[in-house]
């Protein structure tokens, strides 16, 4: 397959990622968002959980989020194995070993807790929310960057 | 919480959308890899203000979404199921800010937001399974603390 050199230019990447919002609305009637899939997985694992957050989650309505996640996993495979000339470098070598696993687990914990507490992530808040001029989503996005900048500039010596 | 019966009657064919949802997921997963959005180095460079690429991608994505939603509304486009397109605004509460800060920290540490985590796993970067495991633990922790956190 003739392919564009990876990475694709920023403008093409941005336009195509942005089109996910209308595509999902028109073809499936859903608002673009990814982190709800975490709650869906939790609710599917523990349908009779004593925690309302999992028990009261509408698993039938939320099923699309894990189908979507499975699609992203598949797309990741296609992008890396079929469309990239060489294997893309996603995580640096510094993440090998126990230390790297602990950092990924800790960062992942913050992602799971933070996105669920904030009610969305880069997709649901930053892309979908801001493009609908939703003010809480704009504040959420400013906080995403504030948190990321604080870690990168403040705690970098200990982490990276 | 959503009323179960109500939501069921609104979507008589939720399952038939799953093929489209899966294919849009494939499309997005490909993009996360080919655009380098799932690369730790890109995210790190973004937070270090070393390159504009990630800001340009996110900004262009927001602009594209805004213009296309404007056009869809103008042309009164409906979903393939014939229903009107409705966006439910995400509400404000203190957790939006607190959770947002915590997520941002996790984003900077792991170099991935939730979508790219799934794409990394599919691309064969199996260390991202640690990130996903952490995210699920974080979600469970939120489920436990949910009644006691300020909202």
């Amino acid at each position: 397959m003739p392919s564009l050199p990876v990475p694709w230019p920023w403008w093409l990447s941005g336009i195509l990622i942005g089109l996910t919002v209308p595509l999902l609305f028109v073809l499936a009637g859903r608002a673009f968002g990814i982190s709800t899939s975490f709650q869906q997985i939790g609710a599917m694992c523990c349908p009779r959980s004593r925690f309302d957050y999992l028990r009261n989650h509408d698993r039938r309505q939320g099923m699309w989020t894990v189908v979507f996640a499975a699609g992203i996993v598949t797309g990741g495979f296609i992008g890396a194995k079929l469309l990239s000339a060489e294997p893309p470098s996603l995580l640096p070598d510094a993440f090998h070993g126990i230390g790297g696993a602990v950092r990924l687990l800790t960062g992942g914990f913050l992602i799971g807790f933070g996105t669920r507490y904030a009610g969305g992530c880069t997709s649901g808040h930053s892309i979908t929310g801001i493009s609908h001029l939703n003010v809480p989503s704009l504040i959420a996005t400013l906080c995403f960057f504030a948190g990321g900048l604080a870690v990168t500039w403040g705690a970098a010596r200990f982490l990276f | 919480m959503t009323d179960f019966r109500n939501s069921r009657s609104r979507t008589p064919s939720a399952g038939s959308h799953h093929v489209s949802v899966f294919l849009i997921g494939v499309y997005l997963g490909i993009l996360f890899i080919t655009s380098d959005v799932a690369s730790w180095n890109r995210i790190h460079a973004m937070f270090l203000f070393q390159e504009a690429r990630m800001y340009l991608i996110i900004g262009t994505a927001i602009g594209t979404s805004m213009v296309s939603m404007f056009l869809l509304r103008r042309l009164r486009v409906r979903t393939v199921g014939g229903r009107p397109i409705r966006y439910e605004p995400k509400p404000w509460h203190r957790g939006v800010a607190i959770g947002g800060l915590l997520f941002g920290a996790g984003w900077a540490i792991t170099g991935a937001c939730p979508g790219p985590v799934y794409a990394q796993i599919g691309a064969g970067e199996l260390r991202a399974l640690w990130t996903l495991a952490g995210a699920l633990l974080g979600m469970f922790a939120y489920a436990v603390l949910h009644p006691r956190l300020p909202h």
Side-chain angles (χ1 to χ4, degrees):
Chain A
M1 174 185 280
S3 60
L4 225 55
V6 169
W8 293 357
W10 64 263
W11 55 270
L12 183 62
S13 308
I15 290 172
L16 295 179
I17 291 173
L19 286 177
T20 310
V21 178
L23 280 173
L24 262 181
F25 266 125
V26 172
L27 298 180
R30 303 293 185 184
F32 177 36
I34 296 172
S35 63
T36 309
S37 62
F38 299 149
Q39 183 185 12
Q40 174 71 18
I41 293 171
M44 285 165 71
C45 292
C46 316
R48 287 169 217 281
S49 165
R50 58 200 179 89
F51 303 110
D52 290 354
Y53 184 73
L54 300 179
R55 190 183 56 241
N56 292 347
H57 176 71
D58 188 335
R59 291 186 296 282
R60 191 174 168 278
Q61 277 293 306
M63 191 56 75
W64 75 274
T65 61
V66 290
V67 174
F68 192 44
I72 297 174
V73 172
T74 310
F77 176 85
I78 295 172
K81 311 291 177 192
L82 306 180
L83 299 175
S84 305
E86 49 195 75
S89 99
L90 301 172
L91 287 171
D93 290 341
F95 281 99
H96 277 302
I98 299 285
V102 170
R103 271 185 293 162
L104 291 174
L105 203 59
T106 310
F109 185 92
L110 293 169
I111 293 174
F113 187 91
T115 56
R116 292 299 73 220
Y117 197 7
C121 60
T122 334
S123 52
H125 269 312
S126 308
I127 298 181
T128 313
I130 294 182
S131 65
H132 285 84
L133 306 175
N134 185 39
V135 175
S137 292
L138 178 63
I139 299 172
T141 302
L142 294 175
C143 290
F144 299 165
F145 280 94
L149 290 171
V151 161
T152 304
W153 292 83
R157 266 184 308 152
F158 312 104
L159 282 168
F160 307 130
Chain B
M1 285 290 125
T2 330
D3 178 53
F4 187 76
R5 283 161 306 157
N6 190 18
S7 52
R8 166 169 270 181
S9 63
R10 250 197 347 260
T11 53
S13 59
S16 65
H17 292 143
H18 286 173
V19 173
S20 321
V21 167
F22 182 81
L23 292 176
I24 299 169
V26 171
Y27 164 86
L28 190 62
I30 290 174
L31 282 165
F32 283 149
I33 297 299
T34 56
S35 68
D36 254 6
V37 165
S39 150
W40 187 92
N41 285 321
R42 291 284 182 195
I43 304 300
H44 195 55
M46 166 182 84
F47 283 126
L48 285 176
F49 299 117
Q50 277 174 350
E51 55 178 31
R53 181 181 169 87
M54 279 300 306
Y55 295 99
L56 290 167
I57 289 179
I58 297 174
T60 310
I62 294 172
T64 304
S65 164
M66 202 180 286
V67 170
S68 28
M69 293 315 294
F70 173 80
L71 290 175
L72 290 185
R73 261 193 300 277
R74 255 303 171 73
L75 302 170
R76 294 173 205 274
V77 174
R78 292 178 160 250
T79 70
V80 287
R83 289 176 298 144
I85 291 172
R86 264 212 0 257
Y87 170 70
E88 296 252 354
K90 290 178 185 281
W92 165 255
H93 56 82
R94 269 172 290 176
V96 173
I98 305 166
L101 288 167
L102 296 174
F103 160 54
W107 188 13
I109 294 171
T110 63
C113 41
V117 173
Y118 290 122
Q120 287 178 341
I121 294 169
E125 179 47 272
L126 297 183
R127 288 173 294 172
L129 287 168
W130 289 112
T131 317
L132 180 63
L136 294 177
L137 285 174
M139 175 275 300
F140 278 118
Y142 176 71
V144 173
L145 295 174
H146 180 256
R148 279 184 252 163
L149 292 168
H151 279 93

